[in-house]
Amino acid sequence: MAFQLPNGATIQVGSEFGDEIKVTAVSNAKGAVFTCEAGHGLAVGDEVLITSGWPLINYLAARVSAVGEEDNTVTIGIIDSSDENFFPRGNGIGSLRKIEAWTLIPQITELSQSGGDQQYLQIQFLEDDRQRNLATYKAAKTQTITLAHDSSLPIYDVLKASDRRGDTLPLKMYVPKATETRYWSGTPSFDPQPTTAVNAVETVTVSFAIKSMDMAFYKDAAAKI
């Protein structure tokens, strides 16, 4: 058992991408193998944004852990697609896009999250004197980042352009005290108009509608796994 403070953590947004690489097959395995088009150019350690017919990994950002030079395969070791009930065979096709550059979200003053809570259906049988809860679905999740206003920051242009286009962007958070990098994705809604109050630092907010169903975690010691 371990726990850490998030102090010193940084959050970056994917801001430059390679061409879309078509994926023609994905294996059902612990360490999913993606069959890609020839000349994909990916290497071990590359960070990619995944699109897939499997909702559980659609829009997941992760790292390439192995590359097959002869058969154009790319392994993403963190993905366990072995359960065919959740990953129906033959339905994982989609694409990979290499994340070629990241832009820092600096001067973060607050990080908050809403949604994601489990919803329930209440039922009661005749013989019951207490209702029962049946889990139905989990609510959509939104993450809001507040940062000190500085219109010259490079992240402003990235967020404004992505907001206009409705892009889904990968996010990367490094937590030094946990020696851990985390990846997820979301669609940003950015308001560049600062909140102003006397004797308070002006701030702006960006809200991400979370798109990835999961989050990828990489410990420093296993950075290339």
Side-chain angles (χ1 to χ4, degrees), residues 13-14 156-169 187-189:
V13 173
Y156 275 55
D157 288 339
V158 173
L159 294 175
K160 286 191 287 187
S162 298
D163 186 338
R164 285 194 296 267
R165 295 191 298 256
D167 293 339
T168 294
L169 299 178
T187 301
S189 176

Side-chain angles (χ1 to χ4, degrees), residues 84-105:
E84 295 185 23
N85 292 311
F86 294 100
F87 301 91
R89 184 176 295 274
N91 287 276
I93 62 173
S95 67
L96 300 175
R97 290 190 74 187
K98 181 180 176 182
I99 306 165
E100 296 187 336
W102 297 87
T103 300
L104 179 70
I105 304 179

Side-chain angles (χ1 to χ4, degrees), residues 2 16 35 46 66 70-71 83 87 144-145 147 151 153 188 222 224:
E16 294 182 20
T35 302
D46 282 349
E70 296 181 359
D71 56 3
D83 190 337
F87 301 91
T144 300
I145 298 173
L147 60 149
S151 61
L153 292 172
K224 294 184 179 180

Side-chain angles (χ1 to χ4, degrees), residues 91-204:
N91 287 276
I93 62 173
S95 67
L96 300 175
R97 290 190 74 187
K98 181 180 176 182
I99 306 165
E100 296 187 336
W102 297 87
T103 300
L104 179 70
I105 304 179
Q107 306 180 165
I108 295 174
T109 61
E110 185 178 355
L111 179 64
S112 62
Q113 186 170 290
S114 61
D117 47 314
Q118 180 68 59
Q119 304 297 303
Y120 296 93
L121 170 69
Q122 292 186 337
I123 64 169
Q124 182 178 3
F125 299 122
L126 180 62
E127 64 267 26
D128 291 337
D129 59 3
R130 179 183 296 179
Q131 288 184 318
R132 305 168 187 242
N133 274 336
L134 292 179
T136 54
Y137 64 92
K138 293 181 181 178
K141 188 183 296 184
T142 302
Q143 189 173 59
T144 300
I145 298 173
T146 304
L147 60 149
H149 171 61
D150 178 356
S151 61
S152 67
L153 292 172
I155 193 62
Y156 275 55
D157 288 339
V158 173
L159 294 175
K160 286 191 287 187
S162 298
D163 186 338
R164 285 194 296 267
R165 295 191 298 256
D167 293 339
T168 294
L169 299 178
L171 292 101
K172 174 168 67 171
M173 181 177 187
Y174 180 66
V175 185
K177 290 181 171 58
T179 62
E180 182 175 80
T181 302
R182 304 164 186 173
Y183 295 91
W184 67 103
S185 69
T187 301
S189 176
F190 179 53
D191 184 359
Q193 181 176 344
T195 298
T196 304
V198 175
N199 295 324
V201 172
E202 290 189 309
T203 59
V204 294

